[in-house]
Amino acid sequence: MKLLLKYGKYVFLTGIVLVLIANSLSCITINKDKIPSFGKKDTTTVPTVSSKTRPHPPVRTGEITLGTRVQIGSQPIGKVGGGITVSRPGDPLHGLEIGIPTDAYTGNKTFTISYAPVTNHTFGDDFIPASPMITIDNGGGYSAQLMTVRVPVKIPDNHFAMGFLYDSKTKQLEGMPLVAQDANSITVGTRHFSSFLIGMVDRLKLKTDVDSGFRPGIDDWQFSNYGSFIEMGGHCTGQSLTAMWYYCTTPDGKDAALYNRYDNNGKSPATPNLWQDDSWGYRLCSVVQKDCGRDDFAFIFWGNLVGRAWQKVNNKWQWVNVPPVISDQTTRDLFAFAIQMTGEPQQVAIHSNAGEGHAMVCYRVSKNVLYIADPNYPGNTERKIELLNNKFKPYNSGANRQEIDAGRGTNFENIMYIAKSTIIPWDKIAQRWAEFKNGTIGNDEFPPYDIVVNVGNNQETPLDGYIADQKKIKVSTKMVNWAFRERLSVLKDGKLLTRFEGEGEIELSPGTNLLGILISGYAYDEWHYIDFKYYTVQYGEVECKTPPPADVLAKLHKTTMF
């Protein structure tokens, strides 16, 4: 919409209510940018959200009262890894075993073990402590490799058990991934240590329908998982984890909903049909994905977690099979019991027999159905994993949305419970969220760049705020300490205007031009997302050059309602 003021006569488009405050302006031009149609979002079963708030159900909390703490001892573990075995016949932790693989840490770590009996708790009769509260202190921080802890415990028939972290400050439990179980022990996996215990429930009290309150189209991100220049295979873990973190920590207030809250980085006007300009959220997901780590740990994490542990065999610590492998029915119960005891969504990892992996959010378990928020299908409430005859049906999705769009969807046969923070560096998301809020997210990971106008004689000037004296300008990307093929996709007036590598020409319209520019980098035979920004460029003379008379100017100093 354009408003022109000429000597006290107002010419404007109808249907708009505008409050205008002017100070000594000879002319005022207001352009309402058109919503670009570039890009697409998945619209399958996407609910209409008229408000960005909704009631947020409470999490489950409780007090755990402990008896006298018993010190077990300390042992240093070096870069080559190893393990700790507790040998104290008659002690509740006799036979406890901690496995620390090679390269879990870059230097020495001293592991100190203690425990305290649970004398009382207020979590209710659907939670029974099956072990003392165990504390393993190694100075904190996440390991680069998955560590395993075998806890000696006997679980009665008709009971279900799993590991839980306990936070004495928040009074909350948090589930731990189950690696193996037998008649005398439960083995859990983790990448960091704190206080934890084994909790169990009578199967008659394990609810058939448990719900965290999390919902796609309200609590997930509004864009699909296409991956980026720093995470080319996709950022499903980062996208799932940040949505869970937002839901659990409620940084914008307990009733705030994430979906579309940061469309166009939270700026007006909204651009619901364009995911590329949701750059802060998109880069956040990619950066958190990278923070999680991908190398050797990822291989173990995706393909070799269930049924394997770092144990001592023939006087040598190594990865060994620890049958029986966790059944699909047990995995279903892990999700159900965790949501029942925490009131929070849980992370689910899936991988195919061919070796592809994907991460999602499980937010509800109803009978034999896991309800899923899939980063490849934002806002879709119909995604689910079904348990049939004690076996999960293969779940069809993709390593990223690009694979699905290309007709290369994958059946994922293996479903795994990953919980929340035991595997993924949860606390670092708060740091990344601060960078997200101030608009600097990804500046330490993505290639730094400037978009400049080439004005001749090898001279350059920043594109944003540029005042052009010609209808066409030449624009290019100026990379800083990076060398690769880059491409600019330029949007103007609701459509893709041009796309080019290196230097390209942009044709301007008279007045203010709002240009949306997507920058992509080329690697492994594909173009990958780097960033999207809007730039303002002025071309042509302003629409009135003579200041209005003094009496008109005086009126402009007042607020005028149209």
Side-chain angles (χ1 to χ4, degrees):
M1 188 275 289
K2 181 177 289 186
L3 169 66
L4 299 179
L5 166 64
K6 290 188 179 180
Y7 301 104
K9 182 178 180 180
Y10 304 98
V11 180
F12 58 94
L13 299 178
T14 60
I16 302 293
V17 177
L18 175 69
V19 178
L20 175 64
I21 303 176
N23 277 306
S24 302
L25 300 178
S26 59
C27 75
I28 303 159
T29 303
I30 301 175
N31 288 306
K32 181 179 184 297
D33 55 315
K34 298 179 180 179
I35 298 175
S37 57
F38 178 72
K40 63 180 179 179
K41 295 184 180 181
D42 179 67
T43 56
T44 309
T45 325
V46 177
T48 300
V49 181
S50 58
S51 172
K52 290 184 179 179
T53 62
R54 52 85 182 86
H56 193 299
V59 297
R60 189 169 181 180
T61 59
E63 294 276 356
I64 296 181
T65 306
L66 303 177
T68 303
R69 182 161 296 279
V70 178
Q71 300 292 331
I72 297 295
S74 299
Q75 181 175 325
I77 297 291
K79 184 177 184 296
V80 296
I84 302 168
T85 300
V86 175
S87 181
R88 294 167 62 100
D91 191 282
L93 293 193
H94 174 64
L96 180 137
E97 198 169 72
I98 307 172
I100 305 99
T102 302
D103 295 325
Y105 297 98
T106 56
N108 289 335
K109 285 274 190 178
T110 297
F111 289 73
T112 301
I113 307 170
S114 64
Y115 73 88
V118 177
T119 59
N120 195 17
H121 71 87
T122 62
F123 276 101
D125 61 1
D126 58 347
F127 182 75
I128 305 170
S131 76
M133 185 70 75
I134 304 166
T135 300
I136 301 175
D137 184 3
N138 67 353
Y142 277 75
S143 62
Q145 301 290 330
L146 183 74
M147 299 178 290
T148 57
V149 184
R150 181 181 181 273
V151 182
V153 64
K154 290 185 180 293
I155 306 302
D157 292 340
N158 299 318
H159 284 68
F160 177 78
M162 62 183 292
F164 286 96
L165 298 173
Y166 179 68
D167 190 324
S168 60
K169 294 181 180 179
T170 65
K171 313 299 182 185
Q172 289 180 256
L173 293 168
E174 179 191 333
M176 302 179 73
L178 181 64
V179 174
Q181 60 182 353
D182 56 33
N184 300 307
S185 69
I186 281 181
T187 302
V188 295
T190 186
R191 290 180 62 203
H192 74 98
F193 287 113
S194 58
S195 295
F196 70 98
L197 78 167
I198 305 300
M200 62 182 179
V201 60
D202 188 319
R203 286 193 176 274
L204 294 176
K205 295 184 182 297
L206 183 60
K207 297 179 181 179
T208 58
D209 194 332
V210 289
D211 194 336
S212 68
F214 183 104
R215 285 295 182 277
I218 299 176
D219 300 302
D220 58 344
W221 290 100
Q222 65 276 1
F223 43 74
S224 290
N225 164 43
Y226 282 98
S228 71
F229 193 78
I230 64 170
E231 288 296 334
M232 298 177 188
H235 50 226
C236 53
T237 298
Q239 192 164 333
S240 298
L241 197 66
T242 50
M244 286 175 56
W245 180 89
Y246 188 91
Y247 185 80
C248 294
T249 65
T250 62
D252 289 324
K254 73 180 187 69
D255 291 336
L258 178 62
Y259 193 89
N260 272 339
R261 176 173 290 272
Y262 293 101
D263 173 42
N264 190 15
N265 297 336
K267 301 172 184 176
S268 294
T271 57
N273 294 319
L274 179 69
W275 65 265
Q276 287 90 341
D277 67 353
D278 306 344
S279 56
W280 294 356
Y282 201 80
R283 283 161 64 101
L284 170 69
C285 295
S286 283
V287 168
V288 171
Q289 176 86 22
K290 189 170 184 181
D291 288 341
C292 293
R294 298 293 295 270
D295 301 326
D296 294 337
F297 162 70
F299 174 75
I300 296 169
F301 174 70
W302 290 121
N304 298 280
L305 171 60
V306 176
R308 288 170 61 84
W310 187 259
Q311 292 186 349
K312 194 173 187 178
V313 179
N314 297 327
N315 207 34
K316 180 180 179 182
W317 287 91
Q318 55 190 305
W319 284 106
V320 297
N321 293 325
V322 283
V325 174
I326 303 303
S327 70
D328 286 352
Q329 179 65 55
T330 297
T331 300
R332 178 264 174 211
D333 293 343
L334 288 169
F335 284 104
F337 193 30
I339 295 175
Q340 182 171 326
M341 295 312 306
T342 66
E344 295 182 335
Q346 306 293 308
Q347 181 106 349
V348 53
I350 58 178
H351 66 91
S352 70
N353 293 335
E356 291 189 60
H358 186 45
M360 309 179 295
V361 178
C362 175
Y363 59 87
R364 179 189 176 195
V365 179
S366 181
K367 297 182 180 178
N368 288 326
V369 177
L370 309 182
Y371 286 88
I372 300 300
D374 188 337
N376 292 332
Y377 296 91
N380 191 322
T381 59
E382 299 299 316
R383 307 299 295 180
K384 54 191 176 183
I385 299 173
E386 298 178 275
L387 185 72
L388 183 63
N389 297 325
N390 297 322
K391 185 69 177 175
F392 283 124
K393 294 173 61 177
Y395 176 81
N396 189 271
S397 187
N400 54 55
R401 185 52 192 259
Q402 188 168 323
E403 291 292 298
I404 297 170
D405 292 345
R408 297 190 294 266
T410 299
N411 278 333
F412 293 90
E413 299 90 352
N414 306 288
I415 314 300
M416 297 160 54
Y417 172 75
I418 303 301
K420 192 175 79 172
S421 77
T422 50
I423 298 296
I424 305 300
W426 183 261
D427 291 343
K428 192 170 184 179
I429 301 178
Q431 171 194 328
R432 293 303 193 183
W433 183 258
E435 297 167 4
F436 164 86
K437 292 290 284 188
N438 64 29
T440 62
I441 184 65
N443 288 356
D444 61 333
E445 297 288 354
F446 282 88
Y449 68 92
D450 292 314
I451 297 180
V452 297
V453 180
N454 302 320
V455 295
N457 297 323
N458 295 321
Q459 297 296 311
E460 300 170 339
T461 187
L463 175 64
D464 197 35
Y466 181 67
I467 300 175
D469 56 6
Q470 296 182 358
K471 186 178 182 63
K472 296 181 179 180
I473 58 174
K474 292 182 178 180
V475 173
S476 64
T477 309
K478 186 176 182 180
M479 306 304 299
V480 181
N481 298 325
W482 285 73
F484 57 88
R485 289 171 59 189
E486 74 276 358
R487 184 179 71 183
L488 297 185
S489 302
V490 184
L491 293 85
K492 185 169 76 76
D493 295 335
K495 63 181 181 180
L496 179 64
L497 177 66
T498 185
R499 175 180 285 157
F500 54 83
E501 295 183 48
E503 183 182 76
E505 195 170 67
I506 298 176
E507 184 172 325
L508 304 173
S509 301
T512 301
N513 292 258
L514 186 67
L515 305 175
I517 297 185
L518 169 69
I519 180 169
S520 307
Y522 193 78
Y524 298 102
D525 300 322
E526 291 182 338
W527 291 100
H528 302 278
Y529 186 100
I530 293 178
D531 204 358
F532 186 103
K533 290 181 180 179
Y534 285 105
Y535 297 83
T536 301
V537 178
Q538 184 73 35
Y539 166 61
E541 297 181 349
V542 292
E543 281 141 330
C544 48
K545 295 182 286 187
T546 305
D551 59 334
V552 173
L553 187 59
K555 292 179 181 180
L556 280 172
H557 282 286
K558 300 179 181 179
T559 300
T560 305
M561 176 74 76
F562 296 98

